[in-house]
Amino acid sequence: MSTALAPDSPAASTREAPGRPERPRSWWYLPAGLAALAVIALGVFARGAAAGATTTFRLAREGDLNPGGIVPGDVALPAGGTALVLGLLCLAIAVVLGVLAAISRPLAPRWRITLVVVFGLAWVTAFLTWAFNGARVDLGTLLQTMMVLAVPLAFGALSGVLSERAGVINIAIEGQLLFGAFGAVLIGSMAGSAWVGLLAAPLMALVIGALLALFAIGYQVQQIIVGVVLNVFAIGLTSFFFGSVMKQNPGLFNRPLRLPTLRIPVLADLPVIGTVLFEQTILVYLMFLIVVGLTIALFRTRWGLRVRAVGEHPRAADTVGIDVNRTRWTNVLLGAAVAGLGGATLTIGTGVAFGEEMSSGKGYIALAAMILGRYHPVGALLAALVFAFADALQLNIGTLPAGAGAGIPSQFLLMLPYIVTLFAVAGVVGRVRVPAADGVPYVKQ
Amino acid sequence: MKLELQGITKVFGTFVANDAIDLVVEPGEIHSLLGENGAGKSTLMNVLYGLYRPDGGEILLDDRPAHFSGPGDAMRAGIGMVHQHFMLVPPFTVAENVMLGHEPTSKGLLDLATARRTVREISERFGFDLEPDAVVEDLPVGAQQRVEIVKALSRRAEVLVLDEPTAVLTPQETDELMGIMRQLRDEGTSIVFITHKLREVKAVADRITVIRRGKVVGTADPTADQTDLASLMVGRAVSLDLDKAPATPGEVALEVRGLSVRDAAGTPVLDRVDLDVHEGEVLGVAGVQGNGQTELTEALLGLQSEARGSIRLRGQELVGRNTRQILDAGVGFVPEDRTHDALIADFTVAENLILDQHHRPPFGSGLSLHPAAIRERATAEVAEFDVRTGSIEDHVSTLSGGNQQKVVMARALGRELSLFIASQPTRGVDVGSIEFLHRRIIAERDKGTPVVIVSTELDEVIQLSDRIAVMYRGAILGIVPATEDRDVLGLMMAGYTVEAAREAVAAGRGRTADSTLAHEGEPA
């Protein structure tokens, strides 16, 4: 309207234009939350470390590809001092964000996110120097543990992305993981090959996917309820077979198989990240491949455009000739197969036999990762890594020798991943845009 | 392309929605399908678009029979449809929406460049000014509708069906749409224009077919008299003019001073509004949808927790009170969105009629409801407002839109009021019911109640009001007598002050300005 009215728009001149939008009521939530965390860093981490204690971070290891020692081996930092400096940095970031929000000059999203990420890194490092004071943190091992824990979560979250982008709520990720883990071991053991198990895992998870699609799309049953029921069904069925056939003849039905580790020459020798990224089973590489492939497919191809249309406004998709329910079926099945791969990482990916309820809630954490990742494959992967890092930290701190570290009670450590989940989902991401037709069955008129 | 429907019959259960309907649309003709809500217009078009399979009859395109098993077939045959509720994916861009379903690709990836070019070409041809990368949900409704038209044209539609296209548009946007329709016609597109608004039919149609209760009851020329058309449509004589007596305003009953509301992002959506409403007068609030009318009525009813300023009803301050207290102070309210805010679909007619008074005598006390009193009240109201329902125990969702609206109005008007506020009092209501509802509003005024009517239909505001306030970007631009020139009001709705609008109209610029108002919604 500006162009049309500009020459003779008395309204614009006589009425003052509405000023800069007033700051929203929630402007102080993020700065205040960060400031509280910064105060914890200063009050607990900086003061809690034993006087004169140092924390050693191990970066490069013997034999790493590290010409001229660019990456130092062990870095010893004074625990208290480092935590103090980092805590002050955190506080500064919180104050900057707070002041900018208070005077209604919020930063561009990119800078805001950068600052929040810097805050996160500084805070976590401060935490590490405190938790490991007087001991050594092996970053390579820590990240390796994180990767192992992240893979099933990431597969699960990708399964959620596939199905929910098309408008079907996938609570059944847990059941799909479990069936995948079960199928990989059962069929793999019978065939005597982990590779056969790798093929069997997604196929087995398809059973849960097909049931979910049948009830959610075919019979339009409330999708959350179907998902939960399927999870219980998966636990029941796998526990039954575990307790009967697998127990009687573990040699034939439940052998600890392991997929070979594929080492990528040269790259695997890089310090810190070498083994984490380039010395893994095929499942890890497959996960990265799916993340990249799915991102391109969802946002750059005809298929993805149609899937997203079906998840947002199925009737509009229908009126341009897209078969809504067929699209949903396909995506739920694809998602189940992907989650099945995630299940395989729990057994043949890590070389353990099947155990009762071994998915132990990972499907639900994967669901949280999907939401935190804003229904985006890359976001889902990053969120899975965050959760897995918290979990890995917990495991690592738990194995500290007595006397070293901050002596955090193990019960608190066990809560760590879930606290991170809560904070992440509630605080940092803000509002997540859910596909508009997520969970709404499509009925033709 | 010539479109011919021969004896189309569609039956739902025992209900005959379309009864042997014949319709011929010549190439390059705007053919208006006129009928009340529920007359069977949309059913007919859904048959044409392949969404319903007809139980009898045939569709001929250029004299050759056509059979559609879905919208895809109809589109391939050259039929495009602009639905009343837009079939656009809100978070998608214009280009993405236009290409959805027939996406150009190169090397397996979406070819966005081609899609953008298509959008630019078509929108330049018709002067639409659509940005291919704009996100649809950020566009004003008028622009969204143009996206729908581009979508149909990009599929080479030769027959374009527009289903109630003006229901969501401002007077200016309606004028623009009519210009677009004429331009399309002149380029050879056949247009089926479905509506129940007589003014528009007369303005743009080349031929008119009137449908009532699933049957064609007549055809007419656009020169036909509006009242005759209305009578044909309704099936009995109707009077379109609301001959109301001049108002006899009493003292000021409602005083609004400096009323402001900000939205969650801090932007003012209601900006220092001052209003006076006298006893026994109707104050109409005109304006393009989304200029603060919703917030104004909600603030008056205590539904806006962030309202600042003062609202005095007969000296009593209402700001800061809750909705229950305000209702108890005698405010009757008709919300703009009947299905979401006014009625509970699965409650019965009787229950819906006492929703705002269920807690107090005679309808309820303490923890209990008094069914006898509720039934008695419902029976009386249903009779008085002529609500067509099988029984007062029927779910309100089984009623037609017009009858649902009567239930809402009956509830609001069914007691002694100190203020009556009605938002979109006749939205989606057929001509026969409009007449009745308007008379009821005037009757309430004549009882001495101050009345506030909010409507985006300028005709309705002009008909009902004694004075008209025009809202623009959350503020009141001016309050004028109801006798004000229609063009002046139209310009005020676009942001002109009273004086500027009068000057512009006096200088003869009123109509030309309409066609330049393309960028609704950008800050001035």
Side-chain angles (χ1 to χ4, degrees):
Chain A
M1 181 176 292
S2 53
T3 49
L5 272 187
D8 55 356
S9 170
S13 53
T14 52
R15 283 186 31 71
E16 76 183 272
R20 208 172 45 224
E22 205 175 69
R23 63 191 182 209
R25 249 189 304 171
S26 60
W27 68 273
W28 56 275
Y29 291 3
L30 179 70
L34 294 183
L37 286 174
V39 168
I40 292 177
L42 290 170
V44 179
F45 305 162
R47 285 163 43 97
T54 58
T55 309
T56 311
F57 288 87
R58 160 159 287 191
L59 300 175
R61 268 180 272 193
E62 294 275 322
D64 279 348
L65 181 71
N66 192 8
I70 300 176
V71 180
D74 284 355
V75 182
L77 295 171
T82 310
L84 183 69
V85 171
L86 291 170
L88 287 173
L89 174 66
C90 287
L91 194 61
I93 290 176
V95 168
V96 166
L97 283 173
V99 168
L100 289 177
I103 60 169
S104 286
R105 279 189 195 282
L107 286 171
R110 181 183 307 172
W111 288 109
R112 211 170 76 125
I113 289 170
T114 311
L115 276 185
V116 172
V117 168
V118 170
F119 179 98
L121 289 175
W123 196 87
V124 168
T125 316
F127 174 77
L128 287 177
T129 54
W130 169 64
F132 287 87
N133 75 76
R136 192 167 64 183
V137 194
D138 189 330
L139 277 183
T141 313
L142 190 61
L143 294 182
Q144 172 66 13
T145 319
M146 170 187 81
M147 190 52 87
V148 169
L149 294 169
V151 177
L153 294 183
F155 274 119
L158 290 170
S159 160
V161 170
L162 269 164
S163 133
E164 307 219 0
R165 277 283 182 179
V168 181
I169 295 179
N170 190 357
I171 301 280
I173 298 173
E174 175 82 1
Q176 293 162 3
L177 286 175
L178 199 57
F179 257 51
F182 174 75
V185 167
L186 183 74
I187 312 288
S189 300
M190 284 160 68
S193 156
W195 293 103
V196 175
L198 179 67
L199 280 179
L203 291 178
M204 192 64 120
L206 276 182
V207 174
I208 299 286
L211 285 173
L212 174 66
L214 180 69
F215 286 107
I217 305 167
Y219 294 108
Q220 290 140 25
V221 184
Q222 218 285 342
Q223 293 172 5
I224 294 178
I225 293 176
V226 178
V228 171
V229 168
L230 285 177
N231 288 343
V232 175
F233 167 74
I235 290 175
L237 202 68
T238 53
S239 297
F240 166 72
F241 281 110
F242 177 75
S244 50
V245 220
M246 283 180 156
K247 271 243 168 78
Q248 283 160 16
N249 195 347
L252 181 59
F253 296 117
N254 196 9
R255 276 196 300 172
L257 299 165
R258 195 174 202 290
L259 284 168
T261 303
L262 306 176
R263 184 184 160 84
I264 297 177
V266 185
L267 288 176
D269 290 331
L270 289 174
V272 188
I273 55 161
T275 42
V276 179
L277 293 180
F278 304 108
E279 196 173 343
Q280 298 284 5
T281 64
I282 188 164
L283 281 163
V284 176
Y285 304 125
L286 217 62
M287 176 194 78
F288 284 114
L289 217 61
I290 292 176
V291 168
V292 174
L294 187 56
T295 305
I296 294 172
L298 265 182
F299 299 102
R300 292 275 177 275
T301 67
R302 170 183 292 187
W303 173 82
L305 190 74
R306 292 182 174 190
V307 165
R308 286 183 292 135
V310 163
E312 289 286 346
H313 195 335
R315 200 168 298 283
D318 193 13
T319 57
V320 291
I322 297 169
D323 190 333
V324 172
N325 284 340
R326 187 198 289 168
T327 309
R328 289 186 166 177
W329 260 95
T330 317
N331 271 52
V332 170
L333 292 182
L334 274 176
V338 167
L341 290 174
T345 59
L346 295 173
T347 50
I348 58 174
T350 39
V352 294
F354 183 77
E356 214 171 330
E357 295 184 42
M358 71 184 305
S359 55
S360 61
K362 284 194 165 57
Y364 298 106
I365 301 267
L367 205 64
M370 172 196 73
I371 296 171
L372 180 60
R374 300 186 165 197
Y375 300 84
H376 192 291
V378 175
L381 172 62
L382 291 177
L385 288 172
V386 167
F387 293 155
F389 183 76
D391 212 359
L393 208 56
Q394 175 260 118
L395 290 173
N396 253 297
I397 296 174
T399 56
L400 276 179
I408 311 166
S410 61
Q411 289 84 352
F412 278 97
L413 290 174
L414 282 172
M415 297 194 308
L416 196 62
Y418 305 99
I419 292 176
V420 170
T421 311
L422 261 184
F423 270 97
V425 174
V428 184
V429 279
R431 227 171 61 87
V432 175
R433 176 157 193 161
V434 183
D438 202 7
V440 187
Y442 181 67
V443 193
K444 259 188 178 270
Q445 276 170 325
Chain B
M1 190 157 60
K2 181 180 170 189
L3 166 73
E4 195 171 350
L5 302 180
Q6 285 182 346
I8 297 289
T9 301
K10 177 72 193 170
V11 182
F12 296 106
T14 57
F15 174 66
V16 184
N18 286 162
D19 189 357
I21 288 188
D22 297 324
L23 183 75
V24 182
V25 184
E26 299 290 344
E29 163 182 272
I30 299 179
H31 195 118
S32 217
L33 205 54
L34 185 65
E36 295 200 290
N37 293 313
K41 294 170 297 186
S42 294
T43 307
L44 185 65
M45 288 305 117
N46 283 333
V47 168
L48 172 61
Y49 198 55
L51 285 166
Y52 294 158
R53 203 174 294 264
D55 296 309
E58 220 174 5
I59 302 169
L60 301 176
L61 290 172
D62 282 337
D63 299 322
R64 273 194 300 277
H67 298 281
F68 305 142
S69 59
D73 289 351
M75 274 185 306
R76 270 187 290 280
I79 295 173
M81 187 144 169
V82 175
H83 299 260
Q84 187 177 359
H85 303 287
F86 300 149
M87 290 299 161
L88 299 172
V89 183
F92 281 13
T93 66
V94 172
E96 284 172 334
N97 265 297
V98 168
M99 69 175 162
L100 185 65
H102 66 152
E103 304 87 347
T105 54
S106 69
K107 294 178 197 133
L109 298 185
L110 288 175
D111 186 357
L112 268 171
T114 305
R116 286 196 192 102
R117 202 161 51 235
T118 310
V119 173
R120 282 216 187 84
E121 272 168 18
I122 297 176
S123 75
E124 266 165 32
R125 200 163 90 218
F126 296 98
F128 283 0
D129 192 32
L130 284 175
E131 177 52 49
D133 291 322
V135 175
V136 161
E137 64 191 339
D138 298 338
L139 296 175
V141 259
Q144 293 193 10
Q145 190 168 59
R146 294 194 283 273
V147 177
E148 280 277 42
I149 295 175
V150 171
K151 203 169 130 185
L153 295 179
S154 75
R155 290 170 165 77
R156 310 196 188 294
E158 293 176 63
V159 177
L160 190 61
V161 181
L162 299 167
D163 188 3
E164 299 276 1
T166 60
V168 290
L169 300 184
T170 67
Q172 275 82 14
E173 283 174 325
T174 303
D175 287 349
E176 272 177 57
L177 176 69
M178 290 184 177
I180 292 165
M181 285 163 66
R182 290 193 194 98
Q183 202 181 341
L184 283 167
R185 171 194 63 193
D186 295 343
E187 297 199 1
T189 310
S190 317
I191 294 178
V192 182
F193 175 40
I194 304 177
T195 188
H196 64 265
K197 294 186 188 171
L198 301 165
R199 166 202 284 278
E200 292 164 5
V201 170
K202 282 181 61 70
V204 78
D206 297 317
R207 274 207 293 166
I208 302 168
T209 297
V210 184
I211 294 188
R212 187 172 73 233
R213 299 207 179 147
K215 286 188 186 147
V216 173
V217 290
T219 53
D221 281 334
T223 50
D225 185 65
Q226 279 206 21
T227 316
D228 293 346
L229 283 175
S231 305
L232 198 55
M233 192 161 105
V234 182
R236 61 181 165 82
V238 277
S239 126
L240 290 176
D241 297 319
L242 180 71
D243 21 76
K244 57 175 201 244
T248 48
E251 296 168 29
V252 173
L254 177 73
E255 272 182 282
V256 178
R257 291 290 174 270
L259 188 64
S260 296
V261 172
R262 287 171 187 276
D263 66 10
T267 324
V269 284
L270 204 58
D271 195 3
R272 289 160 290 163
V273 164
D274 295 334
L275 272 184
D276 281 332
V277 186
H278 297 257
E279 286 176 352
E281 79 160 351
V282 176
L283 178 81
V285 179
V288 178
Q289 186 152 22
N291 272 284
Q293 301 98 315
T294 310
E295 289 77 11
L296 175 63
T297 52
E298 287 182 356
L300 287 174
L301 208 72
L303 291 167
Q304 286 280 355
S305 55
E306 293 293 288
R308 284 172 221 173
S310 151
I311 302 168
R312 285 179 173 277
L313 181 62
R314 296 181 202 280
Q316 265 185 317
E317 181 60 53
L318 296 188
V319 171
R321 297 208 187 186
N322 64 33
T323 306
R324 161 67 51 219
Q325 292 167 327
I326 293 174
L327 285 175
D328 287 349
V331 177
F333 181 57
V334 174
E336 63 180 17
D337 187 336
R338 133 178 102 237
T339 39
H340 282 113
D341 300 333
L343 296 169
I344 300 179
D346 291 340
F347 277 22
T348 65
V349 172
E351 285 164 340
N352 269 294
L353 275 168
I354 53 122
L355 272 188
D356 59 340
Q357 293 163 74
H358 65 274
H359 62 296
R360 58 177 186 205
F363 307 117
S365 56
L367 291 174
S368 65
L369 288 175
H370 301 155
I374 294 171
R375 270 200 303 275
E376 191 184 324
R377 153 80 182 241
T379 314
E381 296 284 8
V382 163
E384 189 191 339
F385 277 80
D386 188 27
V387 179
R388 307 273 168 85
T389 169
S391 129
I392 55 166
E393 304 298 335
D394 282 358
H395 286 186
V396 81
S397 56
T398 61
L399 270 56
S400 73
N403 283 306
Q404 289 183 357
Q405 189 69 14
K406 285 181 186 169
V407 172
V408 180
M409 290 281 273
R411 178 174 74 210
L413 289 170
R415 60 189 176 123
E416 279 301 307
L417 294 180
S418 58
L419 173 66
F420 177 60
I421 306 168
S423 208
Q424 313 295 351
T426 59
R427 177 176 280 179
V429 172
D430 51 75
V431 177
S433 309
I434 289 177
E435 185 192 354
F436 174 78
L437 293 175
H438 281 180
R439 284 187 204 292
R440 281 299 315 214
I441 292 170
I442 296 303
E444 190 65 30
R445 175 198 80 172
D446 292 342
K447 270 163 60 183
T449 310
V451 177
V452 177
I453 298 294
V454 178
S455 176
T456 47
E457 303 244 5
L458 189 50
D459 290 327
E460 175 164 56
V461 174
I462 293 174
Q463 263 194 341
L464 282 173
S465 309
D466 301 309
R467 288 188 303 142
I468 298 174
V470 181
M471 289 196 78
Y472 180 71
R473 298 226 170 114
I476 298 227
L477 270 189
I479 300 183
V480 296
T483 49
E484 186 64 62
D485 189 289
R486 197 171 187 278
D487 290 342
V488 172
L489 289 168
L491 285 178
M492 287 174 72
M493 287 165 73
Y496 283 57
T497 54
V498 188
E499 300 78 28
R502 282 181 184 150
E503 270 172 40
V505 170
R509 286 188 287 142
R511 302 313 298 171
T512 48
D514 292 356
S515 55
T516 59
L517 292 172
H519 312 266
E520 265 316 308
E522 284 173 25

